[in-house]
């Protein structure tokens, strides 16, 4: 067989893992949910219905199908080799594994028409099931034990299907005919015989298993469901876990109570023992009766715990561990490999708490008693036999390794502890060397550095020991690790050779057989758990994500029942661990798949009974989906927000209805404010913040809640500013003003110093100390020696801190205080105590007091700049002005340099002009000229000195003309660049204020706001069409967002939640899909004409019979068509040969 490329092989392996997780579905490879009465064309199935069991066995023997027993299949090694070679040739004859599955599916449909009603699964999914199933059987022909396990698992999956000998014959003959036709002249008779024996073996095993175990397994499943109140799998396990935890608490309390009673019992003798024992039994029975009267057991777990207490075996801790694992055992009894895995984990859990002998029969007695109590009307002898059979199988599996884990743990710990760092490094190095040597394909999946590979190997080795020490935690960790490997698309076939390499390396280091066995058993269990998790988690949705293919994702979602469609794309659950396909596609960079998931989830679909919209499920699974999109996939955020809007295609009076489903953008899961606006604000994306959805959310929160709180918070600052203006600017500074005005100034300044400065000083002191204590700082120098609290990075906080320092300086140089002390000492009257001018304050009146008074006035006004957010246009104007300051600064810098340059140059000249005799005067004069305040009469002085006049002329041309024009040009360009986004910056500013203000909003006001939106009420789409809840309805001008298509996808037919959605006829195909469809049609046409096949280079190759009987090759390209026939025939002859000769 020709070797396929590595990439194609990896895709095939991944495809196998992606569909194999569905092996427990009711649909399997030999029949799909067959109805009780089905239209059958072939007469052989009818014959089987009237045959007795003996006649059926006889017919089976005649056809080589053994339905009387299920043993290991033993075949001649030559036959096995020929069959595997034939299968490899069959795979090589097709371009991909999908093509192989499609060929098998078509052969069964054409060769066995009576089987067609059985196939209800989508064609693509079922075709891959056929391919993967047969491939697994053929590759394990040389391993009869593994083959039997695989066939047994398949047989248990077909228990609810009507598999008969005639149907097995039809399936077998159709597949053999396909192999003979495809491999004409290649498949040896021995290989054909091997396939016949294999298919007979599989078909007979399925019939045998169904006849002997179907009723028993069905009885177990039904009775277990009734015993647990009809809960689903996840609900049952959650109930078991909670009940077990409660049982542990009760046991600990009971144990403590008994110890306490023993301590207070005094002297004891035989008679006293009997009396106290009888009394204790009476009390226990009374307590149990009282408990039962209060809480009647309704589930298996509760009933088991009650019966265990009554039977006196409730103190056995190991029973709690069995009870925790028993649900998985019952549900996987048909899967022998999974049952063995659960039993191995249970042995580890028991070994952690039980050192002596474990009497497993005690659990059986309590189990049967509990089930009899829960199924009093349904219990029968068949139930007794079925549950006894189940526990006997479990007990047999437990006894294989019971008692070994403690010794294994000690030996493995000793072995691993004896390795020093150099030896451990050599072990890890040899593991990868052996693995890459035995499995070269594995090198394609290890792309990290050697240091990281060594870290992986270290963790794997540590897991083998940790599994003995904490099996419960490790099972969860392994499940989580396996789910991550689902996203990595790692083929499960690589785990076995990796485990083998690890064991071989361990065998070469130590001769301790017990340590080797412990390492082998533990590593094998880890490997089996990982493989199972990957197989169960490898859904067709995860496969599409790994391929990052939008079309493949859409097809995968189309396979889901309409009631579970959202769950398929949001949760892949394995045990207690789960992974989100949407989250994985975003984090792994599969944005095409993520976009398809978002589009599918947020598409509104409807039938006659209900609407389907995945927004609630999406935000419940990922409350922080906006944050994930902002940080990891900002390109998907506009599409996501667009899907939260429904627009009617109908208009009324020039207006269009629009529904914004923004409930989860306003309210979080607990009913508090959502963090959506905070996440969007941190992204600093000026385009996304102007999206209609976010504009609506921000305006709703701002207008109804945040604006009022913001103004209330700013009112105090406005009051302080007014008082500061009264005390510093409004009243006269002279000392002759009335005494009443002096007192007003004195009171205003006291209020400023005590309440404004004092409150801000306390706030900043507390924040600074907290920031340095928590190390919430940032460096302000290149070396990082000087660090500043992080909260001061904001403009408002930094300005507030500067204002505090400025007010402190004003207080230290306050004239009233300085003059008051002087006047008190001179003995002046009280009416003259309040004054602001005196000799003691003269040296402080200008600096620092008046200067810092001016600075404080500026800072007070700066703190009120936030009031501009009350109007988006005003806020945008302020922001534009702020962004222009840098351009003005460049102009001022250039002007200053020019002034200094020319004033220095002119001062070097010998001149009598006083205005330019030195640099300071020259700079001032030139600046006055630039600003146009230098009088015209003063220019006449320069006429007497042509040298100075020439310099002034050059200066004025360079500054008043060139620099001024450059400033205008820079401001114009900067404004044009900023104008498009200034509204976005204004809205970002408002978002920040909303986020800062919301924590100050009271809970009652927030609830009143949410209730006013009526988000829990369903809103209309069009008139009379009551739609979905969680939205806010608005109207917009019909020309704002023109829409002529219906945004709701409506379907007729059955409204059952288990049905898939029909194909949408109005769905628009993308360009890639159209090209692929045209390519397939062209392929069929060319194949029909000359047996050609599309090549990867874009051409067609094939053979056909021309008039001369030669071969032809047709190659298509962008420049035209070229053809070759035989030894170089011309274009006409080659084109003729492509068509297969003359008509």
């Amino acid at each position: 067989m020709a070797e396929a490329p590595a990439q194609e092989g990896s895709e095939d392996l991944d495809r196998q893992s992606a569909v194999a997780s569905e092996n427990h579905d009711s649909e399997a490879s030999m029949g799909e949910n067959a109805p009780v009465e089905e239209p059958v064309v072939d007469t052989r199935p009818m014959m089987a219905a009237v045959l007795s069991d003996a006649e059926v066995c006889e017919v089976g023997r005649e056809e080589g199908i053994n339905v009387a027993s299920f043993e290991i299949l033993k075949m001649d090694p030559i036959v096995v080799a020929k069959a595997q070679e034939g299968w490899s040739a069959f795979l090589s004859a097709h371009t991909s594994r999908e093509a192989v599955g499609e060929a098998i599916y078509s052969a069964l449909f054409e060769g066995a028409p009576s089987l067609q009603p059985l196939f209800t699964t989508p064609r693509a999914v079922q075709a891959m099931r056929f391919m993967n199933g047969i491939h697994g059987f053929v590759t394990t022909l040389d391993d009869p034990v593994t083959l039997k396990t695989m066939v047994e698992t398949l047989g248990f999956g077909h228990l609810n299907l009507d598999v008969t000998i005639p149907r097995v014959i039809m399936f077998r003959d159709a597949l053999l005919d396909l192999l003979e036709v495809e491999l004409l002249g290649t498949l040896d008779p021995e290989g054909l015989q091997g396939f016949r024996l294999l298919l007979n073996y599989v078909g007979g095993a399925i019939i045998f298993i169904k006849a002997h175990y179907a009723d028993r397994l069905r009885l177990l499943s039904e009775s277990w469901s009734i015993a647990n109140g009809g809960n689903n799998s996840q609900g049952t396990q959650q109930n078991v876990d909670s009940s077990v935890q409660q049982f542990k608490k009760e046991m600990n309390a009971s144990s403590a109570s008994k110890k306490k009673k023993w301590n207070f019992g005094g002297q004891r003798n035989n008679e006293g023992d009997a009396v106290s024992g009888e009394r204790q039994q009476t009390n226990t029975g009374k307590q149990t009766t009282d408990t039962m009267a209060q809480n009647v057991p309704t589930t298996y777990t509760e009933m088991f715990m009650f019966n265990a207490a009554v039977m006196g075996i409730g103190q056995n801790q190991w029973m709690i561990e069995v009870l925790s694992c028993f649900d998985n055992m019952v549900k996987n009894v048909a899967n022998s490999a999974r049952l063995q895995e659960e039993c191995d984990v249970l042995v580890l859990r028991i070994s952690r708490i039980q050192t002596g002998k474990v009497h497993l029969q005690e659990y059986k007695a309590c189990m049967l008693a509990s089930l009899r109590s829960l199924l009093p009307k349904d219990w029968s002898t068949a139930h007794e036999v079925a549950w006894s059979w189940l526990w006997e199988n479990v007990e047999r599996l437990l006894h294989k390794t019971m008692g070994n884990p403690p010794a294994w743990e000690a030996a493995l710990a000793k072995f691993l502890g004896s390795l020093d760092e150099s030896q451990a490094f050599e072990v890890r190095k040899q593991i990868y060397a052996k693995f890459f040597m035995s499995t070269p394909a594995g090198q394609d999946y290890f792309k990290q550095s050697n240091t990281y590979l060594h870290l992986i190997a270290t963790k794997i080795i540590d897991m083998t020991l940790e599994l003995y020490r904490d099996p419960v935690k490790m099972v969860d960790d392994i499940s989580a690790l396996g789910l991550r490997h689902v996203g990595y698309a790692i083929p499960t076939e690589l785990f076995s050779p990796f485990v083998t390499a690890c064991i071989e390396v361990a065998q070469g280091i130590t001769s301790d057989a017990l340590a080797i066995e412990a390492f082998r058993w533990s590593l094998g269990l880890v490997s089996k758990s990982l493989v199972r998790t990957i197989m169960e988690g490898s859904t067709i949705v995860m496969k599409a994500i790994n391929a990052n293919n939008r079309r493949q994702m859409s097809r995968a979602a189309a396979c889901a029942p309409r009631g579970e469609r959202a769950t398929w794309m949001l949760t892949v659950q394995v045990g207690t661990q789960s992974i989100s396909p949407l989250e994985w596609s975003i984090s792994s960079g599969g944005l095409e798949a993520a976009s398809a998931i978002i589009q599918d989830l947020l598409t509104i679909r409807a039938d006659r009974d209900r609407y389907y919209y995945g927004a609630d499920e999406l935000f419940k699974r990922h409350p922080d989906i906006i944050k994930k999109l902002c940080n990891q996939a900002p390109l998907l955020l506009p599409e996501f927000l667009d899907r939260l809007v429904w627009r009617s295609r109908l208009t009324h009076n020039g207006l269009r209805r629009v529904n914004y489903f923004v409930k989860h953008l306003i309210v979080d899961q607990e009913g508090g404010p959502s963090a959506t606006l905070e996440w969007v604000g941190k992204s600093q994306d000026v385009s996304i913040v102007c999206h209609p959805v976010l504009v609506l959310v921000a305006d709703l929160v701002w207008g109804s809640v945040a604006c009022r709180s913001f103004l209330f918070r700013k009112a105090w600052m406005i009051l302080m500013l007014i008082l500061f203006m009264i005390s510093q600017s409004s009243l006269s500074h002279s000392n002759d003003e009335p005494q009443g005005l002096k007192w007003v100034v004195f009171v205003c300044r006291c209020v400023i110093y005590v309440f404004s400065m004092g409150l801000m000083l306390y706030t900043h002191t507390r924040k600074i100390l907290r920031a340095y204590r928590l190390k919430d700082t940032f460096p302000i120098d290149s070396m990082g020696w000087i660090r500043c609290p992080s909260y001061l990075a904001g403009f408002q906080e930094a300005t507030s801190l500067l204002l505090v320092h400025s007010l402190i300086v004003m207080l230290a140089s306050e004239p009233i205080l300085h003059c008051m002390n002087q006047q008190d000492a001179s003995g002046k009257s009280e009416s003259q105590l309040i004054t602001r001018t005196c000799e003691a304050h003269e040296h402080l009146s200008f600096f620092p007091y008046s200067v810092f008074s001016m600075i404080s006035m500026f800072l007070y006004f700066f703190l009120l700049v936030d009031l501009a957010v009350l109007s988006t246009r005003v806020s945008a104007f302020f922001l534009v002005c702020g962004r222009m300051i840098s351009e003005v600064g460049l102009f001022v810098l250039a002007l200053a340099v020019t002034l200094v340059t020319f004033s220095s140059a002119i001062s070097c000249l010998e001149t009598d002009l006083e205005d330019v005799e030195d640099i300071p005067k020259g700079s001032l004069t030139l600046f006055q000229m630039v600003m146009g305040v230098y009088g015209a009469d003063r220019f006449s002085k320069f006429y007497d000195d042509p040298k100075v006049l020439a310099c002034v002329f050059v200066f004025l041309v360079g500054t008043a003309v060139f620099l001024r024009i450059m400033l205008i040009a820079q401001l114009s360009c900067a404004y044009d660049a900023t104008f498009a986004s200034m509204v976005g910056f204004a809205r970002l500013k408002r978002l920040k204020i909303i986020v800062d203000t919301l924590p100050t909003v009271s809970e009652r006001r927030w609830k009143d706001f949410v209730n006013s939106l009526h988000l829990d009420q369903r809103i209309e789409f069009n008139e009379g069409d009551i739609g979905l809840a969680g939205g806010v309805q608005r109207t917009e001008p019909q020309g704002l967002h023109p829409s002529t298509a219906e945004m709701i996808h409506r379907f007729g037919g059955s409204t059952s939640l288990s049905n898939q959605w029909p194909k949408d006829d109005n769905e628009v195909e993308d360009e890639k899909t159209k090209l692929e469809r045209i390519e397939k049609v062209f392929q069929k046409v060319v194949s029909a004409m000359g047996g050609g096949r599309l090549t990867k280079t874009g051409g067609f190759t094939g053979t056909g019979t021309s008039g001369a009987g030669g071969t032809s090759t047709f190659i298509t390209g962008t420049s035209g068509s070229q053809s070759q026939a035989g030894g170089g025939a011309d274009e006409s002859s080659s084109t003729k040969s492509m068509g297969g000769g003359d008509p």
Side-chain angles (χ1 to χ4, degrees):
M1 180 185 68
E3 294 184 0
Q7 179 65 26
E8 183 178 351
S10 65
E11 294 177 355
D12 293 337
L13 292 173
D14 184 45
R15 184 179 304 110
Q16 179 178 355
S17 63
V19 300
S21 63
E22 304 173 22
N23 59 355
H24 294 297
D25 294 348
S26 59
E27 307 158 350
S29 61
M30 287 209 178
E32 296 288 322
N33 290 338
V36 177
E37 296 181 0
E38 53 178 333
V40 181
V41 178
D42 205 320
T43 59
R44 287 178 289 182
M46 299 180 183
M47 293 170 54
V50 297
L51 296 177
S52 63
D53 293 341
E55 291 172 332
V56 169
C57 293
E58 182 62 28
V59 173
R61 279 194 296 270
E62 292 177 359
E63 293 290 339
I65 302 173
N66 182 14
V67 297
S69 62
F70 180 35
E71 305 294 340
I72 292 178
L73 177 63
K74 297 180 179 180
M75 296 175 57
D76 189 349
I78 298 178
V79 176
V80 171
K82 294 296 183 181
Q84 292 178 340
E85 291 177 2
W87 179 252
S88 299
F90 181 66
L91 294 180
S92 302
H94 296 79
T95 57
S96 65
R97 298 292 179 93
E98 286 91 347
V100 176
E102 186 66 25
I104 297 174
Y105 193 95
S106 300
L108 293 175
F109 251 53
E110 297 171 1
S114 62
L115 298 180
Q116 294 182 11
L118 304 179
F119 303 131
T120 59
T121 300
R123 184 184 184 106
V125 176
Q126 185 58 41
M128 285 306 301
R129 288 184 184 175
F130 284 136
M131 208 298 301
N132 291 325
I134 298 173
H135 179 74
F137 294 151
V138 174
T139 54
T140 56
L141 278 175
D142 52 356
D143 188 358
V145 177
T146 303
L147 176 62
K148 182 181 179 181
T149 302
M150 296 176 62
V151 173
E152 184 179 17
T153 302
L154 180 66
F156 283 129
H158 284 73
L159 291 175
N160 62 329
L161 303 177
D162 187 16
V163 181
T164 62
I165 292 179
R167 286 178 175 168
V168 173
I169 295 174
M170 284 188 288
F171 187 95
R172 180 197 65 189
D173 293 344
L175 186 57
L176 292 179
D177 292 342
L178 173 65
L179 293 174
E180 288 180 332
V181 171
E182 293 283 342
L183 302 177
L184 184 63
T186 304
L187 184 62
D188 295 335
E190 292 85 356
L192 187 63
Q193 179 64 18
F195 278 106
R196 183 182 298 275
L197 293 175
L198 173 62
L199 296 175
N200 288 343
Y201 176 70
V202 174
I206 293 176
I207 296 174
F208 176 82
I209 292 173
K210 178 178 176 62
H212 289 78
Y213 297 107
D215 293 338
R216 184 173 295 178
L217 295 176
R218 178 185 55 79
L219 204 63
L220 290 173
S221 178
E222 293 177 355
S223 57
W224 183 247
S225 178
I226 296 173
N228 288 282
N231 292 326
N232 55 21
S233 301
Q234 188 173 357
T236 301
Q237 189 60 41
Q238 290 176 352
N239 292 337
V240 169
D241 294 339
S242 61
S243 300
V244 168
Q245 294 299 327
Q246 182 64 26
F247 188 35
K248 289 182 178 180
K249 294 180 181 179
E250 293 177 357
M251 290 179 60
N252 294 334
S254 176
S255 176
S257 176
K258 287 185 177 182
K259 291 180 179 179
K260 185 176 180 180
K261 290 180 180 179
W262 179 278
N263 292 335
F264 283 93
Q267 297 294 328
R268 294 170 52 88
N269 51 30
N270 294 337
E271 183 179 356
D273 289 347
V275 173
S276 62
E278 182 180 355
R279 184 180 304 159
Q280 183 177 354
Q281 184 175 1
T282 304
N283 294 335
T284 303
K286 182 178 180 180
Q287 293 174 0
T288 303
T289 304
D290 294 340
T291 303
M292 282 295 297
Q294 298 175 0
N295 186 16
V296 178
T298 57
T299 63
Y300 172 78
T301 305
E302 296 172 355
M303 184 62 72
F304 182 91
M305 292 188 296
F306 170 73
N307 285 329
V310 172
M311 298 170 66
I313 57 177
Q315 298 302 318
N316 292 332
Q317 293 284 343
W318 62 268
M319 284 192 176
I320 301 177
E321 304 300 331
V322 179
L323 198 60
S324 300
C325 301
F326 196 61
D327 179 68
N328 287 333
M329 292 180 177
V330 175
K331 291 174 180 175
N332 294 283
V333 64
N335 187 343
S336 58
R338 177 67 187 280
L339 184 61
Q340 178 67 63
E341 180 186 336
E342 292 294 335
C343 290
D344 290 342
V345 173
L346 178 57
V347 169
L348 291 174
R349 297 180 64 163
I350 293 176
S351 65
R352 299 305 304 171
I353 61 174
Q354 188 76 17
T355 56
K357 186 176 181 181
V358 178
H359 300 281
L360 296 175
Q361 288 298 322
E362 294 179 353
Y363 184 90
K364 177 182 178 181
C366 192
M367 173 193 71
L368 294 176
S370 302
L371 292 171
R372 292 191 199 104
S373 302
L374 293 170
L375 289 80
K377 297 181 180 180
D378 300 330
W379 192 262
S380 64
T381 306
H383 289 80
E384 193 87 15
V385 172
W387 284 99
S388 299
W389 168 78
L390 167 65
W391 184 250
E392 289 171 359
N393 288 333
V394 171
E395 191 173 348
R396 183 175 64 254
L397 295 174
L398 293 176
H399 278 305
K400 289 183 178 179
T401 53
M402 186 68 74
N404 293 332
W408 286 345
E409 178 186 354
L412 183 59
K414 180 180 178 181
F415 165 59
L416 297 180
S418 63
L419 300 177
D420 55 24
E421 184 59 33
S422 60
Q423 291 176 326
F425 178 84
E426 190 64 26
V427 167
R428 298 190 295 266
K429 182 179 179 180
Q430 292 182 16
I431 288 175
Y432 286 108
K434 286 184 175 294
F435 173 64
F436 292 149
M437 183 179 298
S438 62
T439 313
Q443 301 181 63
D444 299 333
Y445 297 93
F446 289 86
K447 305 175 183 179
Q448 301 294 334
S449 62
N450 286 329
T451 55
Y452 189 77
L453 294 183
H454 278 259
L455 176 63
I456 295 176
T458 302
K459 290 185 176 181
I460 293 174
I461 296 174
D462 292 341
M463 287 172 64
T464 59
L465 182 59
E466 191 64 23
L467 186 62
Y468 289 105
R469 295 175 174 175
D470 194 352
V472 178
K473 177 179 178 296
M474 283 306 302
V475 167
D476 290 341
D477 292 347
I478 291 172
S479 297
L481 180 62
L483 285 175
R484 288 199 297 272
H485 279 74
V486 171
Y488 300 148
I490 302 297
T492 56
E493 288 79 2
L494 298 179
F495 284 87
S496 179
F498 188 85
V499 171
T500 302
C502 293
I503 296 174
E504 290 178 354
V505 171
Q507 290 175 337
I509 296 177
T510 180
S511 59
D512 188 351
L514 189 60
I516 295 298
E517 181 61 25
F519 186 67
R520 178 189 291 110
W521 189 86
S522 177
L523 188 59
L525 182 56
V526 171
S527 175
K528 287 189 294 184
S529 299
L530 281 174
V531 170
R532 174 185 56 80
T533 303
I534 294 173
M535 299 291 282
E536 293 179 4
S538 297
T539 63
I540 54 177
V541 174
M542 292 299 297
K543 168 61 180 176
I545 291 174
N546 294 333
N548 194 24
N549 188 296
R550 175 183 290 271
R551 183 183 180 191
Q552 190 173 347
M553 175 58 67
S554 301
R555 289 181 174 180
C559 299
R562 62 183 65 178
E564 302 177 7
R565 188 158 178 152
T567 305
W568 276 38
M569 288 174 285
L570 292 174
T571 304
V572 175
Q573 183 81 31
V574 178
T576 59
Q577 301 295 320
S578 64
I579 189 175
S580 169
L582 174 59
E583 182 180 17
W584 182 263
S585 62
I586 294 174
S587 60
S588 63
L591 299 187
E592 284 292 328
S595 175
I597 292 177
I598 291 174
Q599 177 181 345
D600 194 90
L601 283 172
L602 299 182
T603 296
I604 304 177
R605 300 179 179 86
D607 53 27
R608 294 186 303 275
D609 291 345
R610 58 185 67 87
Y611 283 95
Y612 297 82
Y613 189 51
D616 290 339
E617 291 84 352
L618 173 58
F619 281 97
K620 182 178 180 180
R621 183 72 171 89
H622 299 295
D624 59 343
I625 182 63
I626 300 294
K627 180 180 180 181
K628 295 180 184 298
L629 293 177
C630 288
N631 296 337
Q632 303 180 29
L635 295 178
L636 297 181
L637 190 55
E639 179 183 0
F640 179 88
L641 296 175
D642 289 339
R643 293 286 171 176
L644 297 178
V645 183
W646 171 86
R647 290 185 172 88
S648 175
R649 63 183 180 86
L650 306 177
T651 60
H652 180 68
N653 294 331
L655 298 176
R656 185 191 311 278
R657 283 190 182 187
V658 183
N659 291 351
Y660 296 90
F661 296 97
V662 294
K663 174 182 178 180
H664 301 285
L665 303 184
I666 299 176
V667 187
D668 60 15
Q669 299 295 324
E670 289 75 25
S674 172
T676 298
L677 297 181
E678 179 182 358
W679 296 328
V680 174
K682 289 182 178 179
S683 68
Q684 294 295 307
D685 191 336
V686 295
S687 60
I688 198 63
V689 77
C690 295
H691 193 279
V693 171
L694 295 177
V695 169
L696 175 67
V697 172
D699 289 347
L700 284 174
V701 178
W702 172 255
S704 302
V705 179
C707 183
R708 177 181 170 185
S709 300
F710 171 72
L711 290 177
F712 181 78
R713 189 177 61 178
K714 286 295 182 180
W716 175 256
M717 187 59 63
I718 295 174
L719 176 61
M720 293 296 104
L721 175 61
I722 293 174
L723 295 178
F724 192 76
M725 292 174 63
I726 292 174
S727 64
Q728 300 295 329
S729 302
S730 299
L731 301 180
S732 174
H733 290 277
S734 67
N735 203 30
D736 299 331
E737 59 189 8
Q739 193 69 17
L741 293 180
K742 294 180 180 180
W743 278 103
V744 171
V745 172
F746 176 74
V747 171
C748 291
R749 293 186 181 182
C750 288
V751 172
I752 292 294
Y753 293 139
V754 173
F755 294 100
S756 180
M757 185 192 73
L759 182 60
M760 288 189 293
L761 180 61
Y762 168 76
T763 302
H764 283 287
T765 302
R766 182 172 56 86
K767 289 184 177 181
I768 290 174
L769 293 177
R770 183 175 182 272
Y772 281 112
R773 185 176 68 254
L774 300 178
K775 297 183 179 180
D776 185 16
T777 59
F778 66 93
I780 58 177
D781 63 321
S782 58
M783 302 299 295
W785 292 344
I786 305 175
R787 305 189 67 86
C788 182
S790 299
Y791 85 96
L792 292 178
F795 172 77
Q796 290 285 318
E797 298 291 346
T799 304
S800 176
L801 183 61
L802 291 177
L803 178 59
V804 171
H805 288 84
S806 180
L807 291 176
I808 291 175
V809 175
M810 288 181 59
L811 177 61
S813 59
E814 175 59 44
I816 295 179
L817 297 179
H818 285 269
C819 294
M820 182 183 298
N821 294 334
Q822 185 186 18
Q823 290 165 356
D824 283 341
S826 62
K828 291 185 178 181
S829 61
E830 183 181 356
S831 60
Q832 297 179 350
L833 288 178
I834 307 302
T835 182
R836 288 170 288 165
T837 57
C838 63
E839 296 180 0
H841 189 262
E842 287 181 356
H843 66 287
L844 300 175
S845 59
F846 173 73
F847 185 86
Y849 185 78
S850 61
V851 173
F852 277 91
S853 176
M854 177 191 66
I855 294 174
S856 298
M857 188 67 72
F858 278 118
L859 294 176
Y860 267 115
F861 275 98
F862 287 161
L863 289 176
L864 294 178
V865 172
D866 281 351
L867 291 175
V869 300
L870 295 174
S871 172
T872 304
R873 295 187 61 184
V874 174
S875 179
F877 175 77
F878 269 93
L879 291 172
V880 170
C881 292
R883 292 181 178 273
M884 297 299 170
I885 292 178
S886 60
E887 307 298 333
V888 177
L890 293 176
F891 170 79
V892 172
L893 176 63
L895 179 61
V897 172
T898 306
L899 287 173
V900 173
T901 301
F902 277 86
S903 63
S904 301
I906 293 175
S907 64
C908 295
L909 297 175
E910 294 183 1
T911 179
D912 297 332
L913 299 175
E914 296 180 358
D915 290 349
V916 294
E917 63 180 0
D918 55 21
I919 295 176
K921 291 183 178 181
S923 299
L924 179 60
T925 300
L926 295 177
F927 182 72
Q928 290 176 345
M929 293 179 183
V930 173
M931 301 306 296
V933 296
Y934 195 76
D937 55 336
R938 300 171 64 183
F939 271 103
S940 59
K941 301 178 182 179
F942 293 94
Y943 297 157
D944 300 334
D945 196 336
K947 301 183 294 299
V948 176
L949 181 63
C951 291
V952 170
F953 177 78
V954 174
F955 170 77
L956 291 176
V957 172
T959 56
V961 179
F962 178 74
L963 287 182
R964 188 174 298 176
I965 292 176
M966 282 295 299
L967 174 63
I968 296 173
Q970 279 185 296
L971 293 178
S972 300
C973 295
Y975 184 82
D976 291 339
T978 311
F979 177 78
S981 55
M982 66 178 179
V983 177
F985 285 116
R987 291 201 171 274
L988 284 174
K989 182 68 174 178
R990 176 177 286 187
L991 284 187
K992 184 178 184 304
I993 294 177
I994 291 175
V995 172
D996 294 340
T997 305
L998 281 179
T1000 65
V1001 177
S1002 64
E1003 184 178 355
R1004 182 185 61 81
R1005 283 191 57 212
W1006 176 257
K1007 289 184 177 179
D1008 291 342
F1009 161 66
V1010 174
N1011 293 334
S1012 67
L1013 298 178
H1014 304 291
L1015 295 176
D1016 294 331
Q1017 296 181 8
R1018 298 169 62 187
I1019 57 178
E1020 281 189 335
F1021 286 119
N1022 291 315
E1023 185 177 359
D1025 185 7
I1026 304 300
L1028 298 164
V1032 176
Q1033 190 170 94
R1034 293 289 186 269
T1035 57
E1036 66 181 20
Q1038 63 180 9
L1040 186 60
H1041 297 95
S1043 176
T1044 58
E1046 177 60 55
M1047 298 184 67
I1048 302 176
H1049 298 199
R1050 301 183 183 274
F1051 300 91
S1054 174
T1055 61
S1056 174
L1057 294 175
S1058 60
N1059 288 350
Q1060 301 171 356
W1061 287 110
K1063 180 176 176 56
D1064 190 1
D1065 297 332
N1066 298 325
E1067 184 178 357
V1068 180
E1069 293 182 339
D1070 56 8
E1071 295 297 330
K1072 186 176 181 180
T1073 303
K1074 293 179 180 179
L1075 290 176
E1076 290 179 355
R1077 185 159 50 84
I1078 295 174
E1079 182 180 320
K1080 288 184 179 180
V1081 174
F1082 194 46
Q1083 170 73 60
K1084 291 181 180 179
V1085 172
V1086 175
S1087 299
M1089 294 175 61
R1093 180 172 58 86
L1094 181 65
T1095 65
K1096 294 183 179 180
T1097 59
F1100 287 93
T1101 63
T1103 59
T1105 58
S1106 66
T1111 61
S1112 67
T1113 303
F1114 181 64
I1115 305 175
T1116 61
T1118 56
S1119 62
S1121 300
Q1122 299 177 356
S1123 59
Q1124 299 175 357
D1130 59 9
E1131 182 178 8
S1132 60
S1133 62
S1134 63
T1135 306
K1136 189 175 182 180
S1137 67
M1138 181 193 70
D1142 294 333

